[in-house]
Amino acid sequence: MSSTEKRPHSIALNTAQRPNSSMTGDWEISLVLSTRWEMPLRAHFTYQADDPYAAQLDFYLNARHSVRWTFARELLTTGTVRPAGHADVRVWPTDDGTQVRLCLESRQGKALFEIPLIPLSEWLERTYQLVPPGQEHRHLRLDKRLEHLLKETPYSSGTADLDRVDRPYEQADDATRNPRRR
């Protein structure tokens, strides 16, 4: 693979024109199987301005199935220069500084990946051009998220009868206050 194929392919969008602007990057990463064996995988990185703290990584085990992990953009950024993270996501630079290691852990197992530093750094830089550090809160669109959450509640239609909404805590209180007489 030539070095140009390892570069991410991405397009920066103006957030004023499209509120759901995103930045993507596609390049090859390696699944480290042992000290001697690595398996190349296609990876797709996504950053969305309306979810400004998160970065997503989809890697493809075959042409039809991908696995998605979502983690903090700042974690990836920090991991390019020093170890970062704990528990299920850890990131750190290799000794020679050409790769970034990403360890993902779940109940199903553990996987170690090596990501080329240059395309990852370039992609991260473009995400910071889209949403600068310290400005993430301006892109959260909390009003839209709150509206979406409220649509899922019994109170959202505006016609909910508050007296008919199940309140198990009140039923328990009534049962203790008014014990049945035999």
Side-chain angles (χ1 to χ4, degrees):
M1 174 178 274
S2 73
S3 62
T4 57
E5 288 176 328
K6 290 187 179 185
R7 291 193 167 299
H9 305 283
S10 54
I11 300 171
L13 301 172
N14 183 340
T15 56
Q17 294 172 350
R18 290 187 56 188
N20 293 329
S21 297
S22 65
M23 183 64 58
T24 62
D26 295 287
W27 63 93
E28 189 176 277
I29 65 174
S30 297
L31 172 60
V32 179
L33 302 171
S34 73
T35 55
R36 294 184 181 186
W37 297 93
E38 294 180 357
M39 184 172 90
L41 297 173
R42 283 310 280 173
H44 179 75
F45 288 81
T46 305
Y47 177 79
Q48 297 178 343
D50 63 354
D51 192 5
Y53 293 103
Q56 293 179 338
L57 166 62
D58 293 295
F59 51 89
Y60 297 87
L61 302 174
N62 60 42
R64 291 186 181 168
H65 301 310
S66 68
V67 175
R68 173 172 287 171
W69 278 77
T70 303
F71 35 82
R73 170 176 71 161
E74 184 179 351
L75 176 71
L76 273 180
T77 303
T78 303
T80 63
V81 293
R82 62 180 167 82
H86 63 281
D88 57 345
V89 180
R90 294 185 313 275
V91 187
W92 67 96
T94 57
D95 290 338
D96 67 3
T98 63
Q99 306 277 324
V100 173
R101 289 198 173 121
L102 171 67
C103 183
L104 303 175
E105 199 168 334
S106 73
R107 291 183 192 145
Q108 289 77 30
K110 188 179 197 178
L112 177 63
F113 300 92
E114 286 190 347
I115 304 167
L117 177 64
I118 292 173
L120 178 62
S121 296
E122 290 173 350
W123 177 78
L124 285 166
E125 179 61 33
R126 286 192 292 277
T127 71
Y128 285 110
Q129 290 170 3
L130 191 62
V131 178
Q135 299 300 311
E136 292 92 351
H137 66 282
R138 296 176 187 253
H139 296 266
L140 281 175
R141 298 180 61 191
L142 290 176
D143 55 338
K144 295 290 184 191
R145 288 177 189 250
L146 184 58
E147 182 180 315
H148 175 73
L149 287 172
L150 290 174
K151 285 181 182 178
E152 297 175 2
T153 68
Y155 308 108
S156 61
S157 67
T159 61
D161 183 353
L162 298 180
D163 293 327
R164 296 188 333 170
V165 174
D166 283 340
R167 295 187 184 112
Y169 56 88
E170 287 181 359
Q171 292 169 0
D173 287 347
D174 288 343
T176 57
R177 276 190 231 135
N178 302 318
R180 291 187 198 180
R181 296 184 185 204
R182 294 188 183 206

